[in-house]
Amino acid sequence: MQILNSIPELHLARRLMTGSVGLVPTMGYLHAGHMSLVDYARRENDLVIATIFVNPTQFSENEDLTTYPTDLPRDFSMLESAGVDFVFVPTPEMMYPRSFQTYVTVEQVSQGLEGAQRNGHFRGVTTVVAKLFNLTQPNIAYFGQKDAQQVVVIRRMVEDLNFPLKIAVCPIVREPDGLALSSRNIYLNPEERSAAVVLYNTIQTVNSHYFAGERHPNRLLEIANDVIKAEPLAQMSYASLSDPITLYDLDMPTEDPMLFSLAVQIGKPRLLDNCILPLSLNTRDGVTAVLGVDEKAR
Ligand code: PAF
């Protein structure tokens, strides 16, 4: 595995690459969720580029940029064992030199859910992802379903700005008790860690009502709220049932796929989770086909 520490090094390496390239962009402190993206990329491309960059522009003022966990030696050894060919590790100064003044903003789909809670977050994400796409020129870029809105926003940007690549979405990887993997889970103390299973329990409960025939978004949200309220350490940030393309909140029953997403504060971290209803769509092909893909607009 070649470690590329600068943009000129990446440019040179990219020029010499032949065959298809899969990109796995990360902020490091890798876990099995990231590694599943790498595994898909490895299987589906001739070469894999991973990037590790804690992107300052996607953190809002009250967020954990300075304390965001990092462990580069561990990340490198995980990526190397997984067969990654190149890892690009720029510094903030390389990505955002003093003269920097160009940002990418995706409008409507960036505004609700996480966008409403985290000022400027998606502008930071789309700006850095656009730069990483330009720098690495992948055929397929891999993102996790865990950040479902991020996928929808990035897909909108790819479509609107004609990036010549495909987005692959990979299902959420969970701990044995159902907690979705996240680098921020390390902030949970043991008591909070036990409480954090409430997010998965909420998904399971909502799904069992959906499976039993409940289709009214408001009723499903009431059920979700009741589960969260019963956990004293959990504070609901939001729960939403939305259209998986437009992210508009649903207020009428529908047989079309719905995106159920929730954000819950437990101790320091705000934890995110989501699923597509029906649950049978939460596979690599299912989430890739449903999240953010506007077939009607093609
Ligand atoms: O999902 C992430 O880790 C980040 O938002 C990303 C896509 C690497 C951009 O910084």
Side-chain angles (χ1 to χ4, degrees):
M1 182 176 81
Q2 211 179 321
I3 299 172
L4 307 167
N5 285 304
S6 73
I7 290 174
E9 275 177 73
L10 171 62
H11 278 320
L12 180 61
R14 183 66 187 92
R15 235 175 279 137
L16 299 175
M17 288 178 208
T18 52
S20 63
V21 171
L23 169 68
V24 181
T26 80
M27 298 209 300
Y29 208 70
L30 305 178
H31 51 63
H34 299 108
M35 300 320 290
S36 83
L37 307 185
V38 169
D39 288 345
Y40 283 113
R42 183 66 285 164
R43 265 182 265 147
E44 297 170 7
N45 299 275
D46 297 317
L47 293 171
V48 178
I49 308 179
T51 65
I52 299 177
F53 179 58
V54 181
N55 173 36
T57 62
Q58 71 188 75
F59 287 75
S60 48
E61 270 157 33
N62 53 349
E63 286 184 329
D64 54 345
L65 171 62
T66 50
T67 57
Y68 194 83
T70 61
D71 190 344
L72 278 182
R74 185 170 148 273
D75 291 347
F76 290 156
S77 102
M78 287 168 78
L79 293 172
E80 179 143 46
S81 322
V84 165
D85 300 284
F86 300 91
V87 54
F88 175 52
V89 195
T91 62
E93 293 71 28
M94 289 170 195
M95 294 298 272
Y96 301 108
R98 277 216 262 166
S99 52
F100 188 87
Q101 47 187 305
T102 305
Y103 290 86
V104 179
T105 305
V106 174
E107 301 201 344
Q108 181 256 312
V109 288
S110 294
Q111 280 165 15
L113 304 173
E114 285 303 285
Q117 310 286 324
R118 305 170 71 184
N119 199 13
H121 170 67
F122 285 115
R123 177 186 188 250
V125 169
T126 40
T127 301
V128 82
V129 169
K131 285 170 70 74
L132 293 171
F133 286 170
N134 284 333
L135 287 163
T136 60
Q137 296 171 40
N139 298 84
I140 311 181
Y142 293 80
F143 294 90
Q145 177 196 349
K146 163 97 187 338
D147 296 302
Q149 185 177 15
Q150 170 168 280
V151 169
V152 175
V153 168
I154 290 171
R155 274 209 149 132
R156 193 69 265 146
M157 173 185 81
V158 164
E159 193 73 24
D160 292 351
L161 298 185
N162 308 104
F163 280 98
L165 55 89
K166 285 201 185 100
I167 299 293
V169 191
C170 307
I172 296 175
V173 178
R174 299 181 179 280
E175 298 281 7
D177 68 355
L179 177 66
L181 296 192
S182 161
S183 306
R184 290 186 168 104
N185 290 350
I186 55 147
Y187 297 136
L188 297 165
N189 69 30
E191 210 190 338
E192 291 160 355
R193 171 63 190 80
S194 309
V197 75
V198 72
L199 281 90
Y200 187 59
N201 291 345
T202 308
I203 286 183
Q204 296 286 75
T205 309
V206 166
N207 176 59
S208 63
H209 285 262
Y210 182 90
F211 191 72
E214 182 60 72
R215 292 289 182 276
H216 205 298
N218 295 347
R219 181 70 201 115
L220 292 168
L221 289 179
E222 277 166 22
I223 290 160
N225 273 302
D226 289 346
V227 182
I228 300 288
K229 260 195 233 140
E231 171 47 67
L233 294 184
Q235 226 190 327
M236 176 78 95
S237 174
Y238 61 79
S240 148
L241 274 159
S242 54
D243 179 286
I245 299 162
T246 63
L247 300 185
Y248 283 137
D249 276 341
L250 296 168
D251 52 10
M252 296 294 283
T254 174
E255 290 301 328
D256 289 340
M258 308 189 213
L259 172 64
F260 173 60
S261 21
L262 74 167
V264 178
Q265 185 96 33
I266 298 193
K268 185 176 172 211
R270 262 177 88 250
L271 303 178
L272 305 186
D273 210 332
N274 71 75
C275 69
I276 306 284
L277 295 171
L279 229 47
S280 58
L281 288 172
N282 292 264
T283 59
R284 156 82 167 77
D285 290 344
V287 287
T288 299
V290 167
L291 274 179
V293 179
D294 191 353
E295 291 298 343
K296 284 169 252 138
R298 281 172 201 276

